[in-house]
Amino acid sequence: MPRQDSRRVFVASVTAILGVVIAGASAPDTISELAASGLEAVTRLFGWFYLASLFGFVLLLVCLALSRYGKVRLGPQDATPDYDAFSWISMLLAAGLGVGLVFYGMAEPMRHYLEPPYGGVPAQSPEAARLAIQYSFFNWGVHQWSVFALAGLIVAYFQFRKGRAGLVSSVLSTVTPRRPHGRPWAPWLDVFAVVATVMGVATSLGLGVLQVNGGLRAVFGLPESALSQLLILLVMFVAYMASTLAGLDKGIRRLSNLNMLLCLAMLLYVLVSGPTLKILETLTLGFGDYLQNFIGMSLRTTPYSEDGWASEWTLFYWSWAIAWSPFVGTFVARVSRGRTIREYVLGVLLVPSLLACLWMGVFGGAAIHLERAGGAGLAAATQADMNVALFEMLALLPLSGLTSVMAMMLILVFLVTSADSASYIVAQMTDGGSINPPVFKRVAWGILIAASCLTLIVLGGLDGLQSASVLASLPFSFVLFAMAAVLVRTLRQDHDALLGLLYRRHGEVPVGADAIEAESLVRQRHARPLPLTAKGAAGQACESRRRSPTREAAPVDAEEGVTAP
């Protein structure tokens, strides 16, 4: 992206964010009502579209991983991953799930237990408990991560394999190849992604601050007040600014590793100190129900009733994932350089989903069994205030004071890593997609995110801004479809170009082709000169390599006629 466009994106993004925050803070009730009405209309009219789209994303990713493209590496073909497996998964978990996993880990299964999905079974019954775990797995499983995985795969392929900027607009520059640069709409697409990211992270920070404040009240009796929330936000701000200044490797990576260790410690603690046998049985049954009903849940609509459960839960999650996909996808791409498409899909699509389901099964299963065994009051606590529901459950287990402090630390670290990751990626989006954006932009975006969050907490407007952010998912879903089409087309063109190059260099023997491709290559060769690439420049590059005895064969970029890494 030209430097002028980068400045334009930066200025336009800051202006738009300030306008949205001022509007949300000055008229929070009005904005909240309008956003809620718009979100309800979108999920009602396009719920079927979201369900079908995410199911399609899952199928596409699985097909790519199992296909001949699975061995393609995101970067030079001899590259190695930038991060080890533990750090990689830790950073994925921190950026993609964030504080929502802690916020909803116990509360969501309990809510589904009290209000069963689609109202098909009696509330607070064994059947309701079973459905609660099944649909919690569904809401936090591979569908939600398919959006992040697809967006990240597309950005990573074009950034590290094709040498383009890590921006959504740079991927779509191949939709109309006659004008690959200078499109007037390209900067505005990046502005859209920046605004959606900042608003989403600001609202998540605000909700996390409220939960930490609720935990401090439940454990230590501290008041829930604007001053307390300001101090919590200040601690978060100092922490993620320090991480931002430390950089990706020393800051985000170390915090994400700490975050993962805290998650595993909390998970094992609840599993061991809670009703262990019941939790293990719940996990086994939950995974079985999830796998057995996967397709049915993926495409379940309610054309014969007016049930609003899916709009409140599943469709809201799907919309939120799409709205966050520019941020999470770009971050996932940044930390996935050097992995093959097969490794990437298995790691990004399956591992975080498995960890999320384990968390839901352990915390949700423990809460439901404690409630059913002796009326622990967790159902009433969840209905009264979801911010303190987790701490109410921990109070029923041994060492409640210590584990409550650990839970608050986990929330804080999740929020810090989310804000830190967002500052990094938004700085990248407003700096032409550079891999290492300047420090002053990372600091500026960190300050703006914190200021937006503080304004909304003090003056109100968090709920309205959250709904408004989710509304961005509808237009961006079509952008995702266009990006997916570009990826599939480019993969096919690059594969054909490589086969053509090998065919010429090995005496017109179709090396590396299967039987069908080999027959096609021979027919093309007999019919006309073999078209190596989509453009004449690429063909000339291949021919010059064939004639040069000092050059080894290398994959050719089918779009731009340059040697692929």
Side-chain angles (χ1 to χ4, degrees):
M1 177 185 288
R3 182 59 54 184
Q4 182 179 0
D5 284 346
S6 299
R7 289 195 296 267
R8 189 184 307 167
V9 170
F10 182 81
V11 173
S13 300
V14 172
T15 304
I17 290 167
L18 292 176
V20 172
V21 171
I22 292 172
S26 59
D29 294 336
T30 302
I31 297 298
S32 181
E33 291 176 3
L34 291 174
S37 299
L39 182 60
E40 188 277 331
V42 166
T43 53
R44 176 170 49 84
L45 296 174
F46 295 95
W48 61 271
F49 173 74
Y50 284 122
L51 292 173
S53 297
L54 268 73
F55 185 61
F57 293 161
V58 173
L59 293 180
L60 174 60
L61 288 167
V62 172
C63 289
L64 287 176
L66 299 179
S67 70
R68 62 194 179 192
Y69 307 123
K71 296 181 180 180
V72 174
R73 199 167 289 277
L74 301 176
Q77 201 58 33
D78 59 349
T80 57
D82 288 351
Y83 301 97
D84 60 83
F86 184 82
S87 296
W88 182 49
I89 296 299
S90 298
M91 288 190 282
L92 296 180
L93 189 70
L97 294 175
V99 74
L101 188 63
V102 184
F103 189 83
Y104 290 106
M106 169 264 171
E108 180 174 336
M110 183 59 70
R111 286 288 300 272
H112 297 340
Y113 175 64
L114 297 173
E115 301 172 11
Y118 300 101
V121 299
Q124 302 186 51
S125 63
E127 294 81 8
R130 182 173 180 175
L131 279 180
I133 299 299
Q134 175 183 323
Y135 271 92
S136 296
F137 284 9
F138 175 64
N139 287 340
W140 289 83
V142 297
H143 286 78
Q144 189 172 161
W145 272 95
S146 69
V147 183
F148 303 147
L150 181 61
L153 175 60
I154 297 167
V155 173
Y157 186 82
F158 281 90
Q159 183 177 18
F160 301 126
R161 187 79 178 180
K162 312 290 282 184
R164 294 181 183 158
L167 299 170
V168 172
S169 59
S170 68
V171 175
L172 293 180
S173 66
T174 59
V175 173
T176 52
R178 292 183 180 179
R179 296 185 60 198
H181 304 291
R183 292 182 176 81
W185 52 262
W188 295 107
L189 189 59
D190 296 322
V191 170
F192 174 83
V194 169
V195 173
T197 298
V198 173
M199 292 298 95
V201 173
T203 53
S204 293
L205 274 180
L207 295 174
V209 167
L210 296 179
Q211 190 181 24
V212 172
N213 199 179
L216 291 173
R217 177 177 63 81
V219 178
F220 301 108
L222 298 179
E224 290 188 85
S225 62
L227 178 60
S228 300
Q229 293 157 8
L230 173 62
L231 292 176
I232 295 170
L233 183 60
L234 181 61
V235 171
M236 292 182 187
F237 173 73
V238 172
Y240 77 72
M241 278 293 95
S243 177
T244 296
L245 294 174
L248 184 65
D249 290 338
K250 295 182 179 179
I252 298 177
R253 182 179 63 83
R254 291 178 179 176
L255 278 175
S256 298
N257 289 344
L258 172 63
N259 203 41
M260 176 66 82
L261 293 174
L262 285 173
C263 274
L264 295 176
M266 286 288 295
L267 198 69
L268 291 174
Y269 164 76
V270 175
L271 176 63
V272 173
S273 63
T276 305
L277 179 60
K278 293 294 185 181
I279 292 174
L280 293 174
E281 291 176 343
T282 297
L283 285 170
T284 304
L285 179 63
F287 277 113
D289 288 339
Y290 179 42
L291 296 175
Q292 182 179 0
N293 299 283
F294 183 82
I295 296 178
M297 291 189 295
S298 300
L299 302 174
R300 182 169 184 176
T301 59
T302 55
Y304 309 114
S305 66
E306 297 299 327
D307 189 278
W309 183 89
S311 296
E312 183 179 354
W313 291 100
T314 301
L315 295 178
F316 179 82
Y317 284 143
W318 285 192
S319 304
W320 187 255
I322 294 174
W324 268 51
S325 60
F327 153 51
V328 180
T330 304
F331 182 79
V332 168
R334 175 64 184 84
V335 300
S336 299
R337 182 181 182 274
R339 300 192 179 273
T340 65
I341 290 179
R342 184 169 295 123
E343 288 176 320
Y344 173 92
V345 171
L346 292 176
V348 179
L349 188 65
L350 297 183
V351 178
S353 304
L354 177 62
L355 291 173
C357 291
L358 285 174
W359 186 276
M360 287 281 171
V362 170
F363 280 80
I368 290 174
H369 284 294
L370 289 172
E371 182 70 16
R372 289 183 59 81
L378 296 178
T382 303
Q383 286 184 317
D385 188 357
M386 291 181 66
N387 289 325
V388 300
L390 172 64
F391 301 99
E392 294 289 344
M393 188 193 80
L394 293 176
L396 301 175
L397 302 176
L399 303 175
S400 60
L402 176 62
T403 54
S404 296
V405 172
M406 284 184 61
M408 283 184 279
M409 286 182 58
L410 183 60
I411 294 169
L412 283 170
V413 176
F414 258 131
L415 291 171
V416 168
T417 51
S418 295
D420 191 2
S421 305
S423 301
Y424 188 95
I425 293 304
V426 171
Q428 177 179 324
M429 291 176 177
T430 55
D431 194 56
S434 61
I435 295 179
N436 296 303
V439 173
F440 84 89
K441 282 193 175 181
R442 285 182 270 164
V443 172
W445 282 114
I447 294 173
L448 186 58
I449 289 172
S452 302
C453 177
L454 177 62
T455 303
L456 294 169
I457 289 176
V458 174
L459 301 179
L462 274 178
D463 293 338
L465 191 57
Q466 185 182 39
S467 299
S469 300
V470 174
L471 285 174
S473 64
L474 183 60
F476 198 79
S477 60
F478 296 102
V479 175
L480 271 178
F481 274 106
M483 293 170 65
V486 171
L487 174 67
V488 173
R489 186 189 69 182
T490 306
L491 283 170
R492 186 176 63 250
Q493 290 176 342
D494 288 353
H495 177 76
D496 292 345
L498 178 59
L499 286 184
L501 180 61
L502 293 173
Y503 182 79
R504 288 290 185 91
R505 290 191 62 83
H506 291 273
E508 299 185 351
V509 176
V511 177
D514 59 31
I516 297 176
E517 291 171 332
E519 183 180 353
S520 175
L521 284 170
V522 172
R523 283 203 308 267
Q524 291 179 41
R525 181 71 180 104
H526 289 163
R528 61 184 183 279
L530 184 66
L532 296 183
T533 61
K535 291 185 177 182
Q540 294 174 5
C542 291
E543 187 66 19
S544 65
R545 286 187 187 84
R546 187 180 69 82
R547 293 176 178 176
S548 175
T550 62
R551 296 288 302 273
E552 292 293 329
V556 173
D557 186 323
E559 287 295 325
E560 299 180 3
V562 298
T563 304

